[in-house]
Amino acid sequence: MVSLKDIASQCNVSVATVSKALNDHSDIGAETKARIRRTARELGYVPNAAAKSMKTNRTHNLGVLFMDDANSGLQHDFFASVLESFKKEVEREGYDITFISNDRNTPGRTSYLNHARYRRFDGIIIANVHFDDPEVVELVKSDIPVVTIDHIYNDTTTILSDNVDGINKLVDFVVENGHKKIAYIHGADSSVTRTRIITFNKRLEEHGITVPDEYMRESPYRDTHGAYETTLELLDLPERPTCIFYPDDYAAYGGMRAVMEKGLKVPDDVSVVGFDGIKVARHIRPRLTTYRQDADELGLQAAKNLIDLIERPKTTLVKQVVVKGRLLEGDTLQKLN
């Protein structure tokens, strides 16, 4: 294994000079620094991660705690895109990532916090978990830097998709197209769901539209069958809605199947609106009217803010970062006026 001493001997400089050059210290001349780095590459020098960790008290390893009720894992289009963006940015900054197992049946399993301490994570990103889980709360309250996605804790940096803007834009677009009988099949209870429901009702109230209780239904996120069943219930009402909002794009496709099996057409008889803006939705006909969340920016902001908390703790404020998306007009909304 090539050592700093080998590089120093080849370049006829001290070991301290080699170390400073490889760590980009400003007191080493640019020409000397370039020569040392070139020699290190030619000799096949690989830094000793364990030694570097002992010196800096950092492992350059980040934990990722991620799960969802549908057990879709990394097949979850939206969060997979967020995590891919996060991964690219942290790797560019010299960090690796490790997923934290949430399988509670694993023999010898420890808590999330103990696992994080054992792995010596420099920081952790938390996405799409049960945020009221005592183990998650314990992890968030620890001294390990944490960034959450789409859930707000006190004294924790959070990266949020602009759910208020998304629902407002969708409601405005639907109302502008003449709809007044608007139903909402929302996701299971969470801070995101509550924000969307309140925004939905408030915006319609501002348009002078009251939403009957029977128009508000619940179905799990990304559950096409649940959305299918719940849509059938809405279509069986004496006065069925002309437009149905869904918690996400996958659920919307389950709802569209229910509409068609009832002998109705989308959007001629019932209009459909999704949320998330998954890429496949732009290639299926009819194209879904939806709100695209900016998954790439969410992942990028999560990475930048977590690294700031790790590397610049004395000057980095805990904050909420809100990321806007955009309305995607599709073919599933019928114009009534």
Side-chain angles (χ1 to χ4, degrees), residues 179-230:
H179 292 268
K180 295 182 179 179
K181 299 177 184 178
I182 306 167
Y184 188 9
I185 300 176
H186 56 77
D189 183 53
S190 69
S191 60
V192 169
T193 300
R194 290 191 291 273
T195 296
R196 291 183 184 182
I197 290 173
I198 291 170
T199 304
F200 176 81
N201 284 312
K202 183 173 183 292
R203 196 62 162 190
L204 282 173
E205 184 180 85
E206 290 169 355
H207 282 290
I209 298 172
T210 301
V211 183
D213 290 341
E214 60 267 26
Y215 277 13
M216 300 295 294
R217 306 282 173 129
E218 180 178 315
S219 179
Y221 286 100
R222 283 181 57 88
D223 186 340
T224 54
H225 182 72
Y228 166 83
E229 295 285 351
T230 309

Side-chain angles (χ1 to χ4, degrees), residues 34-160:
R35 180 165 57 90
I36 290 172
R37 289 182 169 184
R38 182 173 61 252
T39 301
R41 286 196 301 271
E42 290 172 352
L43 293 176
Y45 171 72
V46 178
N48 187 316
K52 186 175 182 181
S53 173
M54 289 178 65
K55 185 176 180 180
T56 64
N57 201 29
R58 289 194 200 137
T59 61
H60 281 78
N61 191 17
L62 305 177
V64 176
L65 181 56
F66 166 73
M67 61 185 291
D68 69 300
D69 289 334
N71 293 316
S72 51
L74 291 179
Q75 294 179 344
H76 192 302
D77 295 67
F78 172 64
F79 279 107
S81 297
V82 172
L83 293 176
E84 178 63 20
S85 173
F86 173 82
K87 176 177 176 290
K88 286 180 179 178
E89 179 62 18
V90 299
E91 286 180 343
R92 192 178 70 81
E93 295 293 332
Y95 288 83
D96 295 319
I97 65 171
T98 300
F99 282 86
I100 301 173
S101 172
N102 48 51
D103 184 355
R104 306 216 165 173
N105 296 317
T106 303
R109 177 191 177 276
T110 63
S111 70
Y112 295 142
L113 178 57
N114 286 338
H115 182 90
R117 292 202 190 286
Y118 173 73
R119 292 291 182 185
R120 297 187 62 217
F121 293 135
D122 291 336
I124 296 170
I125 180 177
I126 302 178
N128 212 37
V129 299
H130 294 292
F131 286 99
D132 57 352
D133 182 329
E135 283 194 20
V136 177
V137 174
E138 177 189 43
L139 181 59
V140 168
K141 288 183 176 180
S142 74
D143 58 352
I144 301 173
V146 168
V147 167
T148 60
I149 294 180
D150 269 352
H151 187 85
I152 299 172
Y153 290 108
N154 291 332
D155 302 321
T156 303
T157 290
T158 301
I159 314 300
L160 298 163

